[in-house]
Amino acid sequence: MQIHRFILGSKSPYRKALLEDAGLASLTMESQVDEMAIVKETPLLTALARAQAKGFDVAQRCVPGDLVLGTDQVLGFKGAVFDKSTTEVEARGRLKELQGQTHILHSAMSLFLVPEKTDLTGPVMIKSMCIDTPMKMRPLGDDEIEAYLKTGEWQGCVGCYKYEKQGIQLFEFSGDHAGEPIDQSAIVGLPLRPLFEILRLIGVNPLVSPRGPWTYQQLL
């Protein structure tokens, strides 16, 4: 079958910009899932379950030939799930707790295809995966935390920082990645390298055809 549209199941401007900058044209549709109500045994499983729920929800409102990507990012710290802070007071406490420590960003993705005969099967999940990125925040002084809070970058982020902006100053270099470069797109919340690898495997090659249509190839 033909894939006619790539749908990002998120209203995040950062994820949308990542896809566009990488050469994949996409439409966006916001999920109606209450992600806060989905909590599993571990942060990783929580991220996966939320991404799957969002992708399935959006795919149910799409048309045959649509490829839908559900995403979610969860911060795991000492086994606990951290969600987005809603106030500056909460963000201050979050940064004080994370400073000088290593936390994990769990960036989950779930791809759904809307088949031609939706009356029987509904959306089909093609692949789900989660990329884990250790983040070692350096020790921060109170003056640094207050200065960073004033940037407003803490808003809408699970770690209360935007690594792609001034938030990068909160971290120290760690040379223990065995030469493997850190995937900054995974830190932002959409791991592009594994995403594009999966897309190529199912016949979606944005480098050749940024807007499609693409001929779907089933994963073995």
Side-chain angles (χ1 to χ4, degrees):
M1 65 174 292
Q2 292 291 103
I3 298 174
H4 299 285
R5 301 189 303 176
F6 184 89
I7 310 292
L8 173 62
S10 168
K11 283 292 186 180
S12 167
Y14 309 108
R15 292 187 176 106
K16 172 74 170 175
L18 281 173
L19 289 175
E20 291 182 348
D21 290 345
L24 175 59
S26 65
L27 300 175
T28 59
M29 185 180 297
E30 189 172 12
S31 165
Q32 298 175 355
V33 169
D34 179 10
E35 64 181 58
M36 302 293 288
I38 302 175
V39 180
K40 299 298 181 180
E41 294 82 4
T42 67
L44 185 152
L45 292 176
T46 297
L48 276 172
R50 290 178 177 181
Q52 291 167 3
K54 291 177 183 179
F56 184 76
D57 173 71
V58 171
Q60 286 183 304
R61 291 178 277 126
C62 291
V63 300
D66 284 349
L67 185 64
V68 179
L69 177 66
T71 64
D72 191 73
Q73 187 180 65
V74 165
L75 187 154
F77 183 59
K78 298 181 178 179
V81 172
F82 282 25
D83 288 304
K84 299 171 185 176
S85 296
T86 57
T87 67
E88 186 174 297
V89 172
E90 189 178 351
R92 181 180 293 107
R94 176 72 51 81
L95 290 174
K96 286 186 176 182
E97 187 171 4
L98 295 180
Q99 63 89 25
Q101 304 285 333
T102 297
H103 60 270
I104 308 293
L105 291 179
H106 302 280
S107 300
M109 304 181 294
S110 190
L111 272 174
F112 286 85
L113 178 65
V114 183
E116 294 174 350
K117 295 182 178 180
T118 58
D119 56 330
L120 296 178
T121 61
V124 177
M125 187 170 68
I126 297 174
K127 182 75 173 180
S128 283
M129 66 186 309
C130 188
I131 303 300
D132 299 339
T133 307
M135 302 293 293
K136 187 176 183 180
M137 189 177 287
R138 65 182 180 83
L140 301 174
D142 289 343
D143 57 336
E144 292 179 304
I145 291 176
E146 294 305 317
Y148 187 68
L149 288 172
K150 289 179 181 178
T151 68
E153 291 183 3
W154 62 270
Q155 300 179 65
C157 302
V158 294
C160 297
Y161 59 81
K162 283 187 172 65
Y163 185 83
E164 69 275 20
K165 293 187 176 181
Q166 294 187 54
I168 196 171
Q169 298 184 57
L170 307 181
F171 294 87
E172 60 186 34
F173 172 73
S174 177
D176 58 356
H177 293 283
E180 179 71 14
I182 294 177
D183 187 349
Q184 185 159 319
S185 64
I187 298 174
V188 177
L190 181 56
L192 291 180
R193 284 187 292 173
L195 171 62
F196 281 110
E197 181 174 349
I198 295 170
L199 291 178
R200 288 191 297 270
L201 289 174
I202 64 172
V204 178
N205 191 332
L207 190 61
V208 177
S209 179
R211 298 182 177 277
W214 306 280
T215 301
Y216 174 63
Q217 300 174 17
Q218 187 171 356
L219 288 175
L220 299 178

